[in-house]
């Protein structure tokens, strides 16, 4: 198995091993690495003048949220590290939090949302594809519990669908080797843009799928549909909504 195919499964398994690692030092080190990439920015002020850019200036924000206080030595490094991460990554905005035993002791934000509003560490941020890591770890938890096999097929787990081969295995979904078409297509993207508040049903989403890109296991093709289907598998096997499983396990 080559690296591209094996990576998602290995990544999800490695996430489980991180549970025993102290979170605050780990994330502080990861964020501070961005400072090393741009050492001249480590003394940047909390507000940066970007010249003619019409958007608001960059602001580093600190929010204490009830956890134990962040270390007095490390805390002053967080705002300039946020600045460095923002300016070196090219992202529109960056958020960071320090967590002790499940409680946030320091959280910050720098930059702006895509819509132009300044980011705030006190508001939620869209998780996007980070959710794939949690879904994969949830699936592997069910495998460890003996309730699911990586070799199980969708024909055994879910109702049949014209655009989803019943021969696709759980492992192929995790590795993006199912060949299933991506759920982000003209129909769904157009629908989201025209009616952003509309909640789509699963059947509506699956009805928009095009033809598979390849037979199961015959090639690699990234598709969000893989993890959409894995969420359905997790709910069928566990019997609870996906969000309840993720909340309890992680």
């Amino acid at each position: 198995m080559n690296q591209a195919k094996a990576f998602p499964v290995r990544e999800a398994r490695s996430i489980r091993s991180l549970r025993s690692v102290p979170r605050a030092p780990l994330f502080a080190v990861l964020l501070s690495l961005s400072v090393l990439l741009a050492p001249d920015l480590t003394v940047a002020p909390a507000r940066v003048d970007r010249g003619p850019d019409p958007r608001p200036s960059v602001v580093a924000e600190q929010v204490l949220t009830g956890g134990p206080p962040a270390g007095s030595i490390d805390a002053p490094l967080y705002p300039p590290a946020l600045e460095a991460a923002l300016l070196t990554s090219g992202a529109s905005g960056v958020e960071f939090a320090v967590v002790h035993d499940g409680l946030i002791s320091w959280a910050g934000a720098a930059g702006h949302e895509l819509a132009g509003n300044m980011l705030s560490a006190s508001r939620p941020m869209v998780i996007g594809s980070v959710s794939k890591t949690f879904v994969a770890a949830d699936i592997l938890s069910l495998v460890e519990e003996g309730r699911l096999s990586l070799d199980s097929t969708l024909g055994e787990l879910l109702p049949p669908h014209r655009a989803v081969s019943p021969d696709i295995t759980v492992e192929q979904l995790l590795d993006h080797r199912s060949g299933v078409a991506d759920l982000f297509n003209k129909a769904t993207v157009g629908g989201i843009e025209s009616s952003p508040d509309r909640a789509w049903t699963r059947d509506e989403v699956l009805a928009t799928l095009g033809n598979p890109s390849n037979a199961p296991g015959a090639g690699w093709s990234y598709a969000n549909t893989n993890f959409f289907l894995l969420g359905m598998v997790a709910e069928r096997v566990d019997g609870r909504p996906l969000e309840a499983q993720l909340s309890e396990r992680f």
Side-chain angles (χ1 to χ4, degrees):
M1 182 177 292
N2 63 37
Q3 184 177 7
K5 293 178 180 178
F7 176 75
V9 175
R10 290 205 312 270
E11 178 188 39
R13 285 180 173 138
S14 68
I15 289 298
R16 296 179 60 77
S17 68
L18 289 177
R19 292 179 181 175
S20 60
V21 178
R23 298 180 186 178
L26 174 64
F27 280 89
V29 169
L30 291 176
L31 182 66
S32 297
L33 283 176
S34 63
V35 177
L36 298 178
L37 296 175
D40 55 317
L41 296 176
T42 58
V43 293
R47 185 175 297 272
V48 176
D49 184 6
R50 285 189 162 181
D53 191 336
R55 294 169 299 187
S57 300
V58 178
V59 176
E61 174 189 13
Q62 177 175 337
V63 178
L64 296 177
T65 56
S72 58
I73 296 178
D74 292 337
L77 298 177
Y78 299 147
L82 271 171
E83 295 280 321
L86 178 69
L87 297 175
T88 59
S89 68
S92 62
V94 177
E95 292 190 19
F96 171 68
V98 179
V99 182
H100 295 271
D101 297 326
L103 294 175
I104 297 175
S105 60
W106 193 98
H112 56 85
E113 301 172 349
L114 294 178
N117 301 321
M118 295 302 296
L119 281 177
S120 169
S122 60
R123 294 203 314 269
M125 175 181 275
V126 175
I127 190 172
S129 288
V130 176
S131 60
K132 289 184 174 67
T133 300
F134 291 96
V135 172
D138 188 52
I139 288 291
L140 292 177
S141 295
L142 294 172
V143 171
E144 286 185 349
E145 294 166 6
R147 304 166 67 185
L148 181 65
S149 168
L150 292 176
D151 296 323
S152 299
T153 66
L154 292 187
E156 301 167 343
L157 298 166
L158 297 178
H161 189 275
R162 60 160 187 84
V164 180
S165 171
D167 298 325
I168 295 172
T169 67
V170 170
E171 184 170 5
Q172 288 166 350
L173 292 174
L174 289 167
D175 285 345
H176 292 281
R177 294 185 294 118
S178 69
V180 67
D182 196 5
L183 57 81
F184 282 115
N185 49 55
K186 290 183 179 180
T188 56
V189 172
I192 292 171
E193 290 177 347
S194 62
S195 302
D197 295 330
R198 175 191 171 195
W200 291 57
T201 67
R202 290 173 177 173
D203 289 340
E204 288 176 330
V205 172
L206 293 175
T208 70
L209 295 183
N211 295 326
S213 60
N214 52 260
W220 186 92
S221 178
Y222 184 92
N224 293 281
T225 317
N226 289 305
F227 281 77
F228 184 78
L229 293 169
L230 284 170
M232 295 173 63
V233 167
E235 292 191 345
R236 176 61 64 92
V237 172
D238 188 88
R240 295 178 298 163
L242 180 63
E243 56 267 30
Q245 298 178 52
L246 299 184
S247 178
E248 177 185 310
R249 287 193 168 101
F250 312 116

